[in-house]
Amino acid sequence: MDLILKPWRSLLAGIAWIERFLIVVLIAVIVISITGQVISRYVFGEPIVWVEEVATYSFIWATFIGASLGLKSDRHVKIDTFVGRLPPRAAAIFKALVFAIILVLLIAMLPKVWINLQLEMRRMTVALPVMVPIGWFFSVPLFVGLASMALTAAYRLLEEATFCLSGRHRQVIHEEYGDDSSSDDEIERAFSGSAT
């Protein structure tokens, strides 16, 4: 199974690196464009018409890419009081079930988003200096985020199922691209009362 999981994990780690880079760029675009808008409006009295649209579209892209990155690094909000008290293999069964449900929902949404994407590609932006189909700012980021999350959910489902069957330790994707989980361990110890 490692012949499948290891290259898949490396692929997801590469995608995660790209997602992180894009999020940094998108947040920078938001900050710079809004700052420029404030200066142009209140210092020069000439607001830039397209800035709000650029900031909004950047935020939409950052949201869906961030959702995908959050799933890769296991950062989505979850309540694991019940599963956290189970033996590792029993917990893995429940986690596999959760990832199976996530995967089914993501796969069910992808065709609907694709249909919507085709419709949105017929309409153009309103305020940008160039005419761009609005699908690039609504359905494309949603489709990209859903597809990336589906790849991640399928990997995590297979990873948990492999652990259930073999008992071999799992490797979380974020370990591959250098995300330090020691801060998570410190938070966990603090809440369990064993922090020093």
Side-chain angles (χ1 to χ4, degrees), residues 8 14 41-42 53 57 78 82 90 105 125 129 131 159 172 183:
W8 197 341
R41 179 185 297 260
Y42 294 107
E53 207 167 351
Y57 296 155
K78 60 186 172 195
F82 172 70
L105 291 173
T125 55
M131 298 296 281
E159 183 184 50
V172 180
S183 60

Side-chain angles (χ1 to χ4, degrees), residues 108-146:
M109 287 170 43
L110 279 169
K112 305 296 183 190
V113 174
W114 182 256
I115 292 168
N116 198 47
L117 171 64
Q118 293 172 334
L119 295 173
E120 283 185 351
M121 285 302 190
R122 298 177 191 162
R123 295 178 38 218
M124 297 295 169
T125 55
V126 177
L128 290 181
V130 292
M131 298 296 281
V132 180
I134 64 167
W136 283 103
F137 307 111
F138 294 106
S139 292
V140 170
L142 177 57
F143 189 84
V144 168
L146 291 175

Side-chain angles (χ1 to χ4, degrees), residues 31 39 54 80 82 85 109 124 132 151:
V31 170
I39 292 169
V54 166
D80 58 359
F82 172 70
R85 297 182 189 283
M109 287 170 43
M124 297 295 169
V132 180
L151 273 174

Side-chain angles (χ1 to χ4, degrees), residues 19-87:
E19 289 172 340
R20 279 185 164 189
F21 175 78
L22 288 175
I23 289 171
V24 168
V25 169
L26 290 164
I27 297 299
V29 166
I30 293 169
V31 170
I32 291 168
S33 63
I34 295 296
T35 303
Q37 175 73 320
V38 169
I39 292 169
S40 68
R41 179 185 297 260
Y42 294 107
V43 174
F44 301 110
E46 293 289 331
I48 305 168
V49 177
W50 48 266
V51 166
E52 288 181 36
E53 207 167 351
V54 166
T56 300
Y57 296 155
S58 297
F59 182 75
I60 292 168
W61 268 98
T63 299
F64 290 114
I65 292 173
S68 174
L69 187 61
L71 188 61
K72 284 177 185 58
S73 57
D74 203 23
R75 300 285 184 171
H76 282 270
V77 175
K78 60 186 172 195
I79 300 172
D80 58 359
T81 307
F82 172 70
V83 175
R85 297 182 189 283
L86 294 174

